[in-house]
Amino acid sequence: MKKFLENLNKPQQEAVLYTEGALLVLAGAGSGKTRVLTRRCACLLDKGVSPLNLLALTFTNKAAREMKERVADVCDGGDKIWVSTFHSMCVRILRREIEALGYTRDFTIYDSDDSTRIITTCMAELNINKDKFQPKGIAGEISRAKDENISVSEYETMNGSDFRLGNVAKVYKLYQKKLREANAVDFDDIISKTVELFKKNPDTLEKYQSRFKYIMVDEYQDTNTLQYNLIHMLAAKYGNICVVGDDDQSIYGWRGANIRNILEFEKDFKGAKVIKLTQNYRSTKIILDCANSVIQNNTERKSKELWTQNGGDEKITFYSGDTDFDEAYFIINEIKRLSSEKNMVFSDFAVLYRTHATSRVIAESCFKNNLPYRIFGGVNFSNYEEIKDISAYLKLINNPSDRLSFMRVINVPKRGIGLTTIGRVEEYANEHNLSMYDAAKQSHLINGMSKKNLSITAFTDLIDRFTEFSKTNSVNALVEKIITDIGYRDELKSINPDKYEQKSENLDVLVSKALEYDLHAQDSTLSEFLSEMSLGADIDNLNEEDNRVALMTLHNCKGLEFPVVFIAGFEDGILPGYRAVTSGSTKELEEERRLCYVGITRAREKLYLTAAKKRDQAGRELSNPPSRFLGEIDQTLLERQESEKRFRPRDKATTHVSPRLKADKPHLQKAYEMNAYDRKIPAPKDVTLEYAAGDTVSHMKYGKGEVLAIDPGGADYEVTIKFGDDFGIKKFMAGFAKLKKIET
């Protein structure tokens, strides 16, 4: 037996050996699909196929790294195979070929925040009211259009007569114009521009078709229309395409994934072979029986049932608490108990939930009980202000046409260059069809700029020096030089001493990322480093050696596994979500059921489903019944536990007010609020609020509101605010809400 066939079951071996033509591998959760893909690569190389003729695509950097490492381990030449995410592959192609579309190779990749800022600018120029059209809503509509491969002109034709979508069409057109002027693409453009490149340049398409004679696609159920088109274009010449996926794990319909792609694969590729992998190597039989009993209620699926030879007879625990505090208490107690009794580490546990709102009480309870945890899917590392500042310097050095980056860093650190001066530079740039950077270099020619010319010139000279430095030095050295030369750490310390340590640590991480990139990149370039930074995801940083409980959404957990899993908020209105419950849409309910299935199959040894009879969400007390999916589970697999009523629901009529503790307002200091353990919660350390109860504040989404109460919540304050009739009373964690006091 060939070495690459060792330790494979019969269906896995069949999938590895079937190398010519179209193949659909329906791989159930935990069925060893990554092993099949890597061994299939080894089989092709054993047949004499050049590693340069293989392409393997997946969806996350973490999955791509794991696949690349496994391929390199099982076969010589495996390190030369192009293993990549869709976006990384397309960026790599565009860095070589995008000049055919009128861009230069040093193009910038804008993230969602950057895109929203430009869309906001476009709306202002088009006199479109932000109160009637939210910039993020327009950004989402444009993103959906790009996912469906709908161009600006097509979108205008389709929606020009519709008031709302007609305005979106105007923004879409101006937005794309501004991207082109800045030599920039957004996240969605990465794939759409590659498809456009292939359509407009048949010779370029043929070059990559000839190179990639064998194509493998992981997680095929998650592909959208654009990715589907890209794959079909690349596979058209040879037809040797193997897609691996599981229709039961298609959970990204809300962001464009089309389950029809996997369900209709045999129609798209006539004569395609289908192989089902149903033996699960991850979970116990009880967990799999639970998953099977839920997912079998879906009608839009290919029939299959997971099975295992694994042992384990521990039932699924369903816990129903009186409140969400009871639920959190139960979860924390079980983690502590299992850690002690079974000698487990904290990283063996994951708490999964449908929405981040469910995590608030759990995270607070972890903090109060000294239980180390990490929330995934919160702020992406690249979105921290200090990281965006230094990244903007790097982007401007790499692409001087990048207007957005120029605008971000021209006064970072403060250089005394006011908005009036920047406005004159922008006006000059528009009049002479220049980038902001090139216009700034000609500031001596701009009327009324004599006083500010020295500051502007000093800034452009600084960028010029960094640019020259970048040509002969590593990315790591450039990052360190920027931070040092602009005195950025001193600036951070002077602006906010309380947050300096954390921000400085984030800069250290950025320096380390640049060093790691330099050490591992085959050809270290600033463009490629920026691409990696732009395409990174929070979940890529999950480190098994990081001994903390993982808190994440069900959407973020796919591809991961843990010995013990809690699915919190197992209630109608949460899982399944409110919209799926009330809309009557079978399609939406089936996607929610698939989401539940994904969560269940993350557990290896023990699964908990938890709910609360009452929970506080967005300032409202909700009373949800248990999830309807609970009734679909074979009841012999369940053990039920009820709340021991250790927690008392907070008495809203007597909520204590605990505003910022400042010496100048001692009359505002309050006694500590009692928590569920009947112990006092101290006011958060290292948190200073600029507002107090009774103050008027501004929220970026809800507008003006009156602060009713400020309560201690462990590491942060919980702020209760009364807005106008449209929004009513809402609660926020102060650290995330970014509230600003309005002087009255």
Side-chain angles (χ1 to χ4, degrees):
M1 178 183 287
K2 296 275 189 180
K3 186 176 181 180
F4 55 77
L5 294 176
E6 290 179 356
N7 302 317
L8 298 181
N9 60 39
K10 286 188 177 180
Q12 288 175 332
Q13 289 184 13
E14 189 180 5
V16 166
L17 293 171
Y18 192 88
T19 58
E20 308 303 310
L23 171 66
L24 168 61
V25 180
L26 285 172
S31 62
K33 65 181 177 66
T34 305
R35 178 187 296 183
V36 168
L37 284 169
T38 54
R39 300 294 184 88
R40 199 167 184 275
C41 290
C43 177
L44 286 164
L45 297 183
D46 185 70
K47 288 185 173 184
V49 176
S50 167
L52 300 179
N53 294 138
L54 270 64
L55 171 66
L57 294 172
T58 188
F59 276 83
T60 68
N61 291 322
K62 184 176 186 293
R65 279 199 306 268
E66 289 178 356
M67 196 186 302
K68 195 177 295 185
E69 289 168 1
R70 291 200 202 182
V71 170
D73 286 344
V74 299
C75 55
D76 293 333
D79 57 331
K80 296 183 177 66
I81 296 174
W82 203 338
V83 182
S84 171
T85 65
F86 276 90
H87 286 89
S88 294
M89 177 197 72
C90 289
V91 167
R92 200 167 169 181
I93 291 172
L94 292 175
R95 291 287 182 205
R96 299 176 181 182
E97 315 287 353
I98 200 170
E99 289 172 345
L101 297 179
Y103 293 77
T104 62
R105 296 182 181 186
D106 56 7
F107 62 86
T108 298
I109 301 171
Y110 283 164
D111 62 22
S112 59
D113 286 344
D114 296 332
S115 296
T116 302
R117 286 192 182 94
I118 299 174
I119 285 170
T120 302
T121 301
C122 292
M123 291 173 65
E125 290 184 20
L126 294 167
N127 293 316
I128 295 175
N129 192 324
K130 282 200 299 181
D131 294 331
K132 293 183 178 179
F133 297 88
Q134 290 290 324
K136 285 191 175 181
I138 291 182
E141 188 65 37
I142 291 172
S143 177
R144 282 187 286 275
K146 290 182 178 182
D147 283 347
E148 293 299 318
N149 203 21
I150 300 171
S151 67
V152 170
S153 58
E154 290 171 333
Y155 194 90
E156 284 180 312
T157 302
M158 292 165 58
N159 302 296
S161 59
D162 183 279
F163 175 71
R164 187 179 72 85
L165 297 181
N167 277 291
V168 173
K170 293 175 185 176
V171 176
Y172 187 6
K173 185 175 184 177
L174 183 56
Y175 172 67
Q176 290 303 115
K177 180 176 180 288
K178 287 186 178 294
L179 287 178
R180 174 66 71 93
E181 290 171 349
N183 191 38
V185 298
D186 64 18
F187 195 72
D188 300 298
D189 282 331
I190 291 171
I191 298 179
S192 66
K193 290 295 178 188
T194 307
V195 171
E196 181 185 345
L197 173 76
F198 288 159
K199 284 182 176 179
K200 291 182 176 179
N201 299 273
D203 290 345
T204 303
L205 172 60
E206 203 279 333
K207 178 172 77 172
Y208 287 96
Q209 285 175 333
S210 296
R211 168 156 187 183
F212 301 130
K213 295 179 179 178
Y214 294 87
I215 298 172
M216 286 168 281
V217 184
D218 192 14
E219 305 288 5
Y220 189 66
Q221 77 280 349
D222 293 336
T223 54
N224 60 26
T225 300
L226 201 57
Q227 291 158 339
Y228 170 89
N229 290 340
L230 178 67
I231 294 163
H232 277 243
M233 294 172 84
L234 287 172
K237 184 171 183 178
Y238 293 102
N240 296 324
I241 179 167
C242 167
V243 302
V244 181
D246 181 6
D247 50 307
D248 289 334
Q249 296 187 69
S250 179
I251 59 173
Y252 296 115
W254 53 277
R255 71 180 189 196
N258 188 348
I259 194 173
R260 309 310 310 173
N261 292 349
I262 192 168
L263 294 177
E264 297 178 0
F265 182 81
E266 298 103 305
K267 293 181 181 178
D268 296 329
F269 293 91
K270 302 298 183 185
K273 186 175 182 61
V274 179
I275 298 173
K276 295 181 181 180
L277 305 182
T278 56
Q279 182 176 357
N280 177 284
Y281 295 91
R282 175 189 300 160
S283 306
T284 66
K285 182 177 185 302
I286 285 179
I287 291 172
L288 294 184
D289 287 347
C290 173
N292 288 329
S293 64
V294 170
I295 201 63
Q296 69 182 2
N297 292 280
N298 272 8
T299 57
E300 196 174 53
R301 67 185 293 260
K302 290 178 178 288
S303 176
K304 59 184 175 300
E305 187 167 310
L306 296 179
W307 62 279
T308 187
Q309 293 179 341
N310 294 344
D313 57 359
E314 225 177 323
K315 290 188 174 184
I316 314 300
T317 297
F318 173 68
Y319 173 83
S320 178
D322 281 350
T323 69
D324 44 356
F325 287 94
D326 285 318
E327 178 185 42
Y329 174 84
F330 173 79
I331 291 170
I332 288 166
N333 249 24
E334 284 299 284
I335 291 173
K336 287 184 173 181
R337 180 182 69 80
L338 292 173
S339 299
S340 175
E341 293 179 3
K342 297 193 175 183
N343 198 28
M344 302 178 81
V345 295
F346 292 127
S347 56
D348 287 336
F349 301 90
V351 183
L352 312 178
Y353 35 80
R354 177 65 176 81
T355 65
H356 279 294
T358 309
S359 71
R360 183 181 65 84
V361 172
I362 297 169
E364 287 178 6
S365 299
C366 285
F367 180 83
K368 293 169 188 174
N369 286 273
N370 298 316
L371 195 70
Y373 70 95
R374 177 176 175 184
I375 297 177
F376 289 87
V379 179
N380 189 302
F381 175 75
S382 297
N383 286 335
Y384 286 110
E385 289 294 313
E386 57 274 17
I387 302 305
K388 288 183 80 71
D389 284 344
I390 302 304
S391 295
Y393 269 100
L394 295 172
K395 290 175 181 179
L396 185 59
I397 293 163
N398 184 64
N399 172 22
S401 298
D402 185 350
R403 179 173 293 210
L404 201 63
S405 293
F406 175 93
M407 297 291 276
R408 184 178 188 94
V409 300
I410 190 170
N411 258 328
V412 176
K414 292 182 177 64
R415 298 184 173 90
I417 303 172
L419 293 176
T420 301
T421 301
I422 295 172
R424 284 175 178 157
V425 175
E426 186 170 23
E427 196 174 301
Y428 184 84
N430 293 337
E431 286 176 1
H432 295 81
N433 196 27
L434 296 171
S435 69
M436 286 289 286
Y437 176 73
D438 287 335
K441 288 181 74 70
Q442 299 179 23
S443 60
H444 59 285
L445 300 176
I446 303 174
N447 291 332
M449 289 286 290
S450 56
K451 291 184 179 179
K452 293 298 180 183
N453 185 39
L454 289 177
S455 298
I456 295 280
T457 302
F459 172 69
T460 56
D461 287 348
L462 179 71
I463 298 300
D464 287 344
R465 290 198 301 275
F466 287 153
T467 302
E468 284 303 310
F469 183 87
S470 71
K471 293 176 182 177
T472 55
N473 290 273
S474 67
V475 175
N476 170 257
L478 176 61
V479 171
E480 289 195 294
K481 183 174 179 61
I482 292 170
I483 294 171
T484 302
D485 286 8
I486 68 173
Y488 191 62
R489 291 184 195 268
D490 291 338
E491 176 82 354
L492 291 177
K493 200 167 191 175
S494 66
I495 292 173
N496 195 333
D498 293 337
K499 293 186 177 180
Y500 169 72
E501 188 174 339
Q502 180 59 56
K503 288 178 176 292
S504 185
E505 286 178 4
N506 286 340
L507 292 178
D508 291 338
V509 172
L510 177 62
V511 171
S512 298
K513 283 180 177 288
L515 179 60
E516 185 180 358
Y517 168 77
D518 287 331
L519 292 173
H520 295 98
Q522 292 182 344
D523 181 22
S524 175
T525 68
L526 181 54
S527 291
E528 290 299 328
F529 175 71
L530 289 170
S531 296
E532 283 200 8
M533 287 286 292
S534 298
L535 301 178
D538 188 35
I539 204 67
D540 294 331
N541 299 317
L542 179 63
N543 183 352
E544 293 177 1
E545 296 177 4
D546 184 10
N547 190 24
R548 290 187 282 180
V549 178
L551 274 59
M552 67 182 73
T553 66
L554 288 158
H555 285 103
N556 271 335
C557 77
K558 195 155 75 67
L560 304 176
E561 58 183 72
F562 301 88
V564 180
V565 167
F566 297 83
I567 301 181
F570 204 68
E571 305 157 23
D572 264 14
I574 298 179
L575 181 66
Y578 179 78
R579 179 172 166 177
V581 169
T582 58
S583 68
S585 168
T586 301
K587 181 179 178 181
E588 288 188 21
L589 187 60
E590 292 206 351
E591 177 149 329
E592 293 287 308
R593 188 176 283 113
R594 292 194 292 269
L595 193 59
C596 177
Y597 174 83
V598 166
I600 292 169
T601 54
R602 297 313 96 195
R604 295 207 300 257
E605 301 167 15
K606 175 67 179 176
L607 173 67
Y608 293 85
L609 310 173
T610 67
K613 296 180 178 69
K614 293 180 181 179
R615 72 171 64 243
D616 185 271
Q617 209 159 46
R620 295 182 299 124
E621 187 174 85
L622 302 180
S623 297
N624 299 317
S627 172
R628 64 191 61 199
F629 301 147
L630 185 69
E632 297 175 355
I633 298 172
D634 180 347
Q635 299 301 293
T636 63
L637 305 175
L638 292 173
E639 62 172 10
R640 295 173 180 261
Q641 293 189 31
E642 293 290 330
S643 169
E644 297 179 9
K645 297 187 178 180
R646 293 178 181 268
F647 281 81
R648 295 171 300 170
R650 183 179 296 166
D651 183 354
K652 297 184 181 300
T654 58
T655 298
H656 293 291
V657 177
S658 211
R660 71 179 188 273
L661 306 178
K662 279 200 152 188
D664 60 339
K665 290 190 178 181
H667 61 284
L668 292 176
Q669 297 186 24
K670 291 287 183 179
Y672 300 140
E673 180 185 10
M674 301 297 288
N675 78 348
Y677 295 99
D678 293 330
R679 293 203 305 254
K680 292 182 177 181
I681 304 175
K685 296 179 180 179
D686 302 324
V687 178
T688 301
L689 303 182
E690 298 304 320
Y691 47 85
D695 285 343
T696 301
V697 295
S698 172
H699 185 274
M700 54 187 173
K701 180 176 180 181
Y702 301 113
K704 292 182 182 179
E706 179 189 357
V707 179
L708 299 181
I710 305 176
D711 299 308
D716 201 353
Y717 285 110
E718 181 184 80
V719 185
T720 304
I721 301 174
K722 181 180 180 181
F723 294 101
D725 294 337
D726 290 342
F727 300 112
I729 296 175
K730 294 188 178 296
K731 292 187 178 184
F732 309 92
M733 298 310 292
F736 294 99
K738 297 182 179 178
L739 301 166
K740 293 183 179 180
K741 181 179 176 180
I742 298 175
E743 299 295 341
T744 57

